[in-house]
Amino acid sequence: MADKPVWEQIGAGFVQLYYQQFDTDRTKLGDLYTDASCLTWEGAGYQGKEAIMGKLSSLPFQSIQHIITAQDHQPTPDNCVMSMVMGQLKADQDQVMGFQQVFLLKNIDNKWICANDMFRLALHNFGA
Amino acid sequence: MADKPVWEQIGAGFVQLYYQQFDTDRTKLGDLYTDASCLTWEGAGYQGKEAIMGKLSSLPFQSIQHIITAQDHQPTPDNCVMSMVMGQLKADQDQVMGFQQVFLLKNIDNKWICANDMFRLALHNFGA
């Protein structure tokens, strides 16, 4: 991994950490957000760590597992890293669903946090 | 549309313009990029207007039509707008395919340009 561009290392590292924590205990994802972070989850908007964690914590499933099938990373003009993730998830005993998620990562006090986060189930590709 | 947040108006306006131009004549998309713009297309990277336009112009189809089924927009910490698009596309006589695309839009000289662009076909949600 050391020979990959730094933004790809940052993005891939964040993605690994995020989904590992999400699948283990998503109520502890708060460290990855700030009070200025934005989340759009299935089209509904949440701003700030508290609102975001409220949403993620109240999602109506007990167990979840994400599998990442593709991820892309780019450096942005303002020294952020943008990451697009595609994958599959299985929540409780529901059927496996595709999803996509985008993160904008910003370095604040030597830590990469998630400034922007958008999530959609892949079913929107096949809507009416 | 006037009562929507300004970032949503900017993002939705760009998305409409982009796909309209893509479906009409994608060789004229160059005005939306700069020499610093990045494109990741199906995992392959292109930097700068010339490289990006070379890739988009050489895509192996004559006609294409995009249908947008969902789009989300957020303001970023550095006064950019991040937009995530989901939809379906039909290229020539191929079967309809789902896709997702993300844009990071930046205001340069009073014009919103695409600083970052990532595209993937939805089939990556259902890869092996």
Side-chain angles (χ1 to χ4, degrees), chain B residues 26-75:
Chain B
R26 66 184 182 276
T27 67
K28 292 184 180 156
L29 282 168
D31 285 351
L32 302 181
Y33 298 95
T34 73
D35 292 339
S37 298
C38 294
L39 167 68
T40 304
W41 186 274
E42 286 287 287
Y46 304 87
Q47 180 157 17
K49 184 191 294 206
E50 194 179 327
I52 291 170
M53 291 315 299
K55 175 60 183 175
L56 296 182
S57 301
S58 69
L59 289 168
F61 48 77
Q62 295 300 312
S63 73
I64 187 165
Q65 190 184 358
H66 292 82
I67 296 169
I68 309 305
T69 49
Q71 53 182 300
D72 298 311
H73 310 281
Q74 286 182 4

Side-chain angles (χ1 to χ4, degrees), chain A residues 40-111:
Chain A
T40 304
W41 187 274
E42 286 288 288
Y46 304 87
Q47 181 159 16
K49 184 190 295 207
E50 193 179 327
I52 291 170
M53 291 314 300
K55 174 62 184 174
L56 296 182
S57 300
S58 68
L59 288 167
F61 47 78
Q62 294 300 313
S63 74
I64 187 164
Q65 189 183 1
H66 292 82
I67 296 168
I68 309 305
T69 50
Q71 54 181 300
D72 298 311
H73 309 281
Q74 287 181 2
T76 80
D78 300 296
N79 300 313
C80 294
V81 174
M82 190 164 84
S83 298
M84 180 169 83
V85 177
M86 249 159 289
Q88 300 177 319
L89 60 81
K90 182 168 176 60
D92 292 337
Q93 298 310 311
D94 294 352
Q95 109 185 60
V96 172
M97 286 185 287
F99 75 93
Q100 43 260 355
Q101 193 157 8
V102 186
F103 303 105
L104 188 70
L105 308 177
K106 189 175 173 66
N107 194 310
I108 295 179
D109 297 335
N110 282 323
K111 192 176 162 229

Side-chain angles (χ1 to χ4, degrees), chain A residues 38-40 42-44 46 69-80 82-88 96-104 106 115-122 124-128, chain B residues 38-40 42-44 46 69-80 82-88 96-104 106 115-122 124-128:
Chain A
C38 294
L39 167 68
T40 304
E42 286 288 288
Y46 304 87
T69 50
Q71 54 181 300
D72 298 311
H73 309 281
Q74 287 181 2
T76 80
D78 300 296
N79 300 313
C80 294
M82 190 164 84
S83 298
M84 180 169 83
V85 177
M86 249 159 289
Q88 300 177 319
V96 172
M97 286 185 287
F99 75 93
Q100 43 260 355
Q101 193 157 8
V102 186
F103 303 105
L104 188 70
K106 189 175 173 66
N116 296 84
D117 181 351
M118 296 174 173
F119 172 92
R120 286 259 186 192
L121 290 169
H124 296 280
N125 289 114
F126 304 98
Chain B
C38 294
L39 167 68
T40 304
E42 286 287 287
Y46 304 87
T69 49
Q71 53 182 300
D72 298 311
H73 310 281
Q74 286 182 4
T76 80
D78 300 295
N79 300 311
C80 294
M82 190 165 83
S83 298
M84 181 169 82
V85 177
M86 249 158 289
Q88 300 176 320
V96 172
M97 286 184 287
F99 75 93
Q100 42 261 353
Q101 194 156 8
V102 186
F103 304 104
L104 188 70
K106 188 174 172 68
N116 298 84
D117 181 351
M118 296 175 175
F119 172 91
R120 287 262 185 188
L121 291 169
H124 295 282
N125 289 115
F126 303 98

